[in-house]
Amino acid sequence: MTREDMTREEIQSLPYRPCAGMMLCNREGKIFAGQRIDSALDAWQMPQGGIEPGEEPREAALRELREETGIPADAVEIIAETKDWIPYDLPHHLVPKLWNGRYRGQKQRWFLMRFVGEDSQINIETDHPEFNRWCWLPANELLARIVPFKRDTYERVIREFHDQIA
């Protein structure tokens, strides 16, 4: 059987990939969003990435932020962290294509970060680019642009950080 032939039961038995997500807010309370480079569709997201074995979620968040946006750790303040891991499942057809079919989705620890630098410090043309453009968005616009399978996760993150965003 090939990975493309995975059944729903096989997918449900897979673990979640540990991941750190960053909600980066500017001084006006708008949220950083990047258009995914690997999608021809409107597919915006906040920076996020896998947690390496032995790495703490906070360390992973700062590393991933730099890898995806070029933003150094000294240009952000970590304001808050989600209380729990927030999981999401990938659509069935994506599971065999991502991470060699080893994960059903991701469990994410999210960090609210205040951007205290200048926009000129943002550089999405990194060694392994994830985004082809970026912008600052109000929370409701961000939700409207997110791929549907991540929308529940983003709603939960925005709800949890709501009082601290602005």
Side-chain angles (χ1 to χ4, degrees), residues 96-155:
K97 297 175 183 173
L98 297 176
W99 310 301
N100 296 316
R102 294 182 317 206
Y103 303 103
R104 66 189 279 184
Q106 296 192 98
K107 65 176 185 176
Q108 300 176 312
R109 182 65 68 150
W110 283 89
F111 294 86
L112 174 61
M113 298 179 179
R114 174 100 44 237
F115 182 55
V116 296
E118 299 298 322
D119 282 3
S120 60
Q121 291 178 278
I122 300 172
N123 178 13
I124 59 172
E125 294 177 22
T126 61
D127 290 341
H128 304 284
E130 299 240 352
F131 306 123
N132 57 20
R133 57 195 163 134
W134 67 273
C135 62
W136 296 106
L137 294 172
N140 62 333
E141 277 188 52
L142 175 66
L143 284 174
R145 294 188 185 192
I146 296 307
V147 293
F149 68 89
K150 290 185 181 178
R151 195 160 287 134
D152 288 346
T153 297
Y154 276 46
E155 286 174 346

Side-chain angles (χ1 to χ4, degrees), residues 14-83:
L14 293 172
Y16 287 106
R17 176 181 182 248
C19 175
M22 292 71 67
M23 178 182 275
L24 183 67
C25 296
N26 67 11
R27 290 172 184 91
E28 290 79 42
K30 291 185 177 175
I31 302 166
F32 177 96
Q35 164 65 39
R36 290 193 55 86
I37 203 167
D38 60 0
S39 178
L41 304 173
D42 218 20
W44 293 79
Q45 71 176 42
M46 293 184 277
Q48 63 176 51
I51 299 172
E52 303 294 332
E55 188 176 40
E56 291 297 319
R58 182 178 287 250
E59 292 172 274
L62 292 170
R63 175 184 52 75
E64 286 288 341
L65 184 68
R66 182 174 200 102
E67 288 177 5
E68 294 186 8
T69 67
I71 298 172
D74 63 0
V76 298
E77 295 171 351
I78 297 178
I79 306 297
E81 178 179 342
T82 52
K83 295 177 191 79

